[in-house]
Amino acid sequence: MDLEKAGESRMLQLNELDELRLDAYASSVSYKEKTKRWHDARLRDKKEFSPGDKVLDFNLRFKFSPEKLKSRWTGPYEVKKAFLTGYVELIGNGNTFKVNGHRLKLYYDGVEANEYDDITLYPKS
């Protein structure tokens, strides 16, 4: 058994293993970049709220209810302050609390009534 040939063979195997490891690392980095681009392309736009807006809050903890048709939206609450990170400070029932902006949707006080012309389908007799 030649020890020099065995040593060279072992060094070649170690170098090949290092190359495979570097290739795997480069492949994982490119995979993560592609996945991040795909994920970021499908993100919803950030909801923007301004102080004074009225919003409804989605109740995440509401699991089971005897009333099937009970709404999971609570409120309306008034926006006190909106942070750049996406959190919104709300005022409701004399309390102030912070929630994630993804849980909120704008609340409109009044419904605008559309005026329709009176259309008769059958002639009056």
Side-chain angles (χ1 to χ4, degrees), residues 11-75:
M11 287 300 291
L12 289 174
Q13 288 176 351
L14 289 174
N15 287 337
E16 188 176 339
L17 185 63
D18 284 340
E19 288 178 18
L20 287 172
R21 192 175 295 133
L22 290 174
D23 288 343
Y25 178 75
S27 175
S28 70
V29 168
S30 66
Y31 171 76
K32 287 178 184 179
E33 288 173 355
K34 287 179 188 176
T35 306
K36 181 174 176 19
R37 272 186 269 140
W38 181 85
H39 178 266
D40 290 346
R42 282 156 183 74
L43 282 177
R44 291 184 183 172
D45 292 333
K46 200 187 252 188
K47 295 180 184 177
E48 295 181 11
F49 300 103
S50 58
D53 286 347
K54 291 198 174 190
V55 295
L56 295 175
D57 182 24
F58 188 73
N59 188 357
L60 296 172
R61 295 190 179 116
F62 182 72
K63 298 274 183 183
F64 301 105
S65 168
E67 303 165 7
K68 287 184 180 180
L69 301 177
K70 188 174 182 182
S71 177
R72 293 180 73 167
W73 294 95
T74 58

Side-chain angles (χ1 to χ4, degrees), residues 108-116:
Y108 299 102
D109 282 334
V111 178
E112 295 178 10
N114 293 330
E115 294 183 21
Y116 296 104

